[in-house]
């Protein structure tokens, strides 16, 4: 029921496996509303995404870029960056994402491989208790936009915000608290 509600509301879907992609597609969701966001995709799953026309996918390391270049060079790529998730119950930056210091090298490789980088992704961790973490992460995303510009690549058009937004009454921080920090940063 929840997936159908999200579909009716026009939500995008962050999928981490072939099974998740298929489940969303079987609901009639257009593949353009799906991002294959597994940080370490198996080759067979990249090929499956290509066959199902799920073009958006994340990367955060050189090996992933090389794999995508070989199997799905037409993909629309989103670089996932590390962010401060120290205020979260479930932290992901120790496992996923590229450091900002490595992002320019990865973007240069993507350019050299003639891959299309359309955006940047970050996740402040699930159960993030500090709404300012979203602003800091969005400011880091802005730095990646500038890197793309400096490299002479086509402008990016997407910011994929992750943070395990809490959908329960009286959650702290409330979505409105997060929005106070995040929206002004995204406008930049």
């Amino acid at each position: 029921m929840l997936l159908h509600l999200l579909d009716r509301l026009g939500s995008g879907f962050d999928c981490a496996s072939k099974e998740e992609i298929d489940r969303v597609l079987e609901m009639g969701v257009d593949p353009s509303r799906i991002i294959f966001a597994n940080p370490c995709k198996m080759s067979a799953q990249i090929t499956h995404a290509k066959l199902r026309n799920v073009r958006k996918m994340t990367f955060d390391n050189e090996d992933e870029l090389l794999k995508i270049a070989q199997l799905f060079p037409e993909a629309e790529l989103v670089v996932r960056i590390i962010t401060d998730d120290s205020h979260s119950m479930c932290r992901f930056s120790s496992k996923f994402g590229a450091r900002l210091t490595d992002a320019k090298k990865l973007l240069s490789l993507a350019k050299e491989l003639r891959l299309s980088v359309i955006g940047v992704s970050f996740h402040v961790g699930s159960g993030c208790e500090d709404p300012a973490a979203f602003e800091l992460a969005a400011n880091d995303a802005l730095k990646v936009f500038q890197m793309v510009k400096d490299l002479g690549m086509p402008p990016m058009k997407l910011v994929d915000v992750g943070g395990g937004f809490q959908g329960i009454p009286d959650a702290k921080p409330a979505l409105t608290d997060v929005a106070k920090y995040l929206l002004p940063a995204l406008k930049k």
Side-chain angles (χ1 to χ4, degrees), residues 29-30 46 104 116 126 157 180 188:
V29 172
D30 190 273
I46 294 172
K104 192 165 190 174
S116 174
S126 293
K157 57 186 176 187
K180 287 176 193 172
K188 293 182 204 173

Side-chain angles (χ1 to χ4, degrees), residues 16-23 36 44-45 48:
S17 69
K18 170 184 180 271
E19 293 76 20
E20 289 179 8
I21 289 171
D22 287 345
R23 184 170 188 176
F36 187 18
Q45 291 191 342
H48 182 78

Side-chain angles (χ1 to χ4, degrees), residues 95-110:
K95 299 185 279 187
F96 310 121
R99 288 182 178 81
L100 279 179
T101 55
D102 297 329
K104 192 165 190 174
K105 182 177 89 170
L106 290 172
L107 293 167
S108 294
L109 178 59

Side-chain angles (χ1 to χ4, degrees), residues 120-139:
V120 61
S121 170
F122 62 80
H123 198 299
V124 298
S126 293
C128 181
E129 297 174 351
D130 182 6
F134 289 89
E135 178 183 28
L136 294 172
N139 286 332

Side-chain angles (χ1 to χ4, degrees), residues 16-125:
S17 69
K18 170 184 180 271
E19 293 76 20
E20 289 179 8
I21 289 171
D22 287 345
R23 184 170 188 176
V24 173
L25 289 172
E26 287 166 6
M27 293 173 20
V29 172
D30 190 273
S32 67
R33 291 175 46 205
I34 298 172
I35 183 167
F36 187 18
N38 187 321
C40 187
K41 294 171 276 305
M42 292 185 280
S43 296
Q45 291 191 342
I46 294 172
T47 301
H48 182 78
K50 181 178 182 175
L51 291 172
R52 300 301 302 255
N53 201 30
V54 174
R55 299 174 66 86
K56 289 186 203 79
M57 57 184 63
T58 60
F59 72 95
D60 65 5
N61 63 72
E62 188 175 312
D63 290 337
E64 200 72 5
L65 268 180
L66 294 171
K67 195 176 2 173
I68 293 167
Q70 178 185 7
L71 299 168
F72 194 4
E74 310 82 17
E76 298 174 333
L77 301 180
V78 177
V79 59
R80 180 168 177 167
I81 59 171
I82 288 175
T83 190
D84 179 8
D85 59 3
S86 62
H87 299 282
S88 298
M89 287 185 284
C90 186
R91 299 175 179 174
F92 297 113
S93 289
S94 63
K95 299 185 279 187
F96 310 121
R99 288 182 178 81
L100 279 179
T101 55
D102 297 329
K104 192 165 190 174
K105 182 177 89 170
L106 290 172
L107 293 167
S108 294
L109 178 59
K111 181 180 179 180
E112 179 184 320
L113 294 169
R114 299 179 186 201
L115 298 172
S116 174
V117 180
I118 64 161
V120 61
S121 170
F122 62 80
H123 198 299
V124 298

Side-chain angles (χ1 to χ4, degrees), residues 163-180:
F165 300 113
Q166 300 181 52
I168 55 174
D170 302 321
K172 298 293 181 202
L175 187 56
T176 55
D177 297 327
V178 172
K180 287 176 193 172

